[in-house]
Amino acid sequence: MLNLERLRTLDALARHGSVSGAAEALHITTSAVSQQMSKLEREVGQQLLAKNGRGVRLTDAGKLLSEHAARILSQVELAQSDLEAQRGQVVGELRMSAFPTAARGLFPTVLSTLRERHPGLRVRSCELEPERGIAAVVRGDLDLAVVLDWYNKPMPLPDGLVKAAVLDDPADVAMPAGHRLAGRDEVDLAEFADDEWITWGEGEFCHEWLMFTLRSKGIEPNVGHRAAETHTQLNLVAAGLGVCIAPLLGRHPVPAGVVTVPLKQRVRRHVYVVWRADADRRPSIRAAVRALREAGEQIGAPAPPRAQAPGAGDQAPGAGR
């Protein structure tokens, strides 16, 4: 009989690629990971790990068993989800993340709502950029992640995930109060061809979106400063160091000396929440999605729900069951 916790350890090794990565994901020591793997090797009578420089790699037998482990663990989660659904109680632990402005703009309301409505639910939250949040949900490190894409650049979603719209988030251009365009009712991105931009970190999804969008208009961006947090960007704008894209979610208060002007293109971010399809019927997932969508309705224009396949549209929790 294969031990479920040892299979979980093998699955974590396969997903993270190292003993230290698996230990961090499982919240155990590296020694405990090694002990679990030694016991699993004795159970199956085959070598599952081999040395690879200073680290380890899965043997062919280890890769084969890890593939079975992923399917077994998915079935176990599905069984747990079905049992929770049958019981109908919102209890246990729920782990969720959001990108920084969503954590600022949504989580205070959402987490307070969940605590008030469901005192038996223990919610753990953190800030993660969209790509990292999605990866953590796929790995099973998180139950939910609030992520985004842009009106002209979708965020690719892996198979096995479900999503639901939270809100559409309009974005303006933030500029110093003395900027030549600060008195306008609306502006075009092409009018900032000669401006210095303050943007997100190199390689981040929002930064790549801005570069893609400006270049599609024949503008080679002049990036002067990078900052992950919107309020850091806005304070750099207040200092007269450039202009930036300023989505509404999590933006306020805007620093003195900064003016935000809408874009003619009506630039919007689509904010949504993702979770694993095999956890679709968990009451805690449903409760969190409901709270997120209610908070989104209070802040901006919610996108209409659409019952389509994951990655192609939006789905309400349990809609596929």
Side-chain angles (χ1 to χ4, degrees):
M1 181 69 70
L2 294 171
N3 180 281
L4 191 61
E5 287 308 309
R6 288 165 201 159
L7 289 179
R8 199 179 305 279
T9 302
L10 175 63
D11 179 63
L13 269 169
R15 288 187 284 106
H16 294 277
S18 68
V19 172
S20 59
E24 183 177 355
L26 296 170
H27 306 290
I28 60 177
T29 65
T30 54
S31 175
V33 170
S34 299
Q35 290 173 15
Q36 290 278 48
M37 290 305 301
S38 295
K39 291 176 181 178
L40 185 58
E41 286 180 331
R42 288 197 295 272
E43 285 178 352
V44 301
Q46 295 190 62
Q47 184 178 357
L48 302 176
L49 295 179
K51 289 185 178 180
N52 184 28
R54 295 183 179 180
V56 295
R57 61 173 177 81
L58 294 178
T59 63
D60 288 344
K63 292 176 183 177
L64 177 63
L65 185 56
S66 71
E67 292 170 2
H68 284 289
R71 290 192 291 270
I72 290 168
L73 293 169
S74 178
Q75 283 299 118
V76 169
E77 179 153 10
L78 183 59
Q80 291 173 335
S81 176
D82 285 344
L83 285 170
E84 282 188 31
Q86 186 182 52
R87 188 168 62 234
Q89 296 178 338
V90 182
V91 295
E93 182 172 276
L94 189 73
R95 302 156 298 168
M96 55 196 300
S97 75
F99 57 94
T101 49
R104 175 196 292 268
L106 290 170
F107 271 7
T109 299
V110 170
L111 300 181
S112 296
T113 297
L114 289 173
R115 175 175 288 184
E116 180 180 346
R117 290 178 181 170
H118 311 290
L121 180 66
R122 181 185 182 192
V123 182
R124 293 289 176 261
S125 70
C126 64
E127 284 188 4
L128 283 179
E129 291 298 329
E131 302 96 326
R132 292 184 61 198
I134 288 171
V137 172
V138 170
R139 292 195 306 265
D141 298 339
L142 290 174
D143 300 301
L144 293 163
V146 179
V147 299
L148 65 90
D149 56 28
W150 292 85
Y151 74 104
N152 61 342
K153 192 174 177 63
M155 168 75 75
L157 279 185
D159 292 337
L161 295 187
V162 180
K163 72 174 183 177
V166 175
L167 77 154
D168 275 358
D169 184 29
D172 304 328
V173 176
M175 63 195 79
H179 194 277
R180 66 188 187 282
L181 301 176
R184 294 271 293 274
D185 292 331
E186 59 182 14
V187 291
D188 192 294
L189 278 175
E191 296 179 274
F192 296 90
D194 297 326
D195 281 271
E196 196 167 20
W197 281 93
I198 300 162
T199 181
W200 297 267
E202 186 85 39
E204 289 187 13
F205 183 70
C206 289
H207 171 80
E208 296 303 319
W209 164 79
L210 181 59
M211 299 300 100
F212 166 81
T213 302
L214 291 174
R215 286 168 180 156
S216 71
K217 295 180 173 297
I219 301 170
E220 185 53 38
N222 175 17
V223 176
H225 308 281
R226 293 186 176 90
E229 174 57 53
T230 295
H231 274 242
T232 303
Q233 294 184 16
L234 290 173
N235 276 284
L236 292 172
V237 172
L241 298 172
V243 300
C244 75
I245 295 292
L248 178 63
L249 182 61
R251 181 169 78 194
H252 296 290
V254 176
V258 175
V259 172
T260 60
V261 181
L263 282 156
K264 292 178 182 178
Q265 295 90 345
R266 296 296 181 262
V267 171
R268 288 180 178 271
R269 302 190 300 183
H270 306 306
V271 180
Y272 52 97
V273 55
V274 300
W275 65 95
R276 293 184 303 282
D278 54 19
D280 196 40
R281 295 187 63 192
R282 287 176 56 189
S284 56
I285 295 285
R286 297 186 181 195
V289 172
R290 177 188 171 193
L292 282 162
R293 298 193 70 155
E294 288 174 352
E297 289 173 2
Q298 295 174 20
I299 295 169
R306 292 159 289 172
Q308 297 179 333
D314 300 312
Q315 185 170 329
R321 302 287 178 182

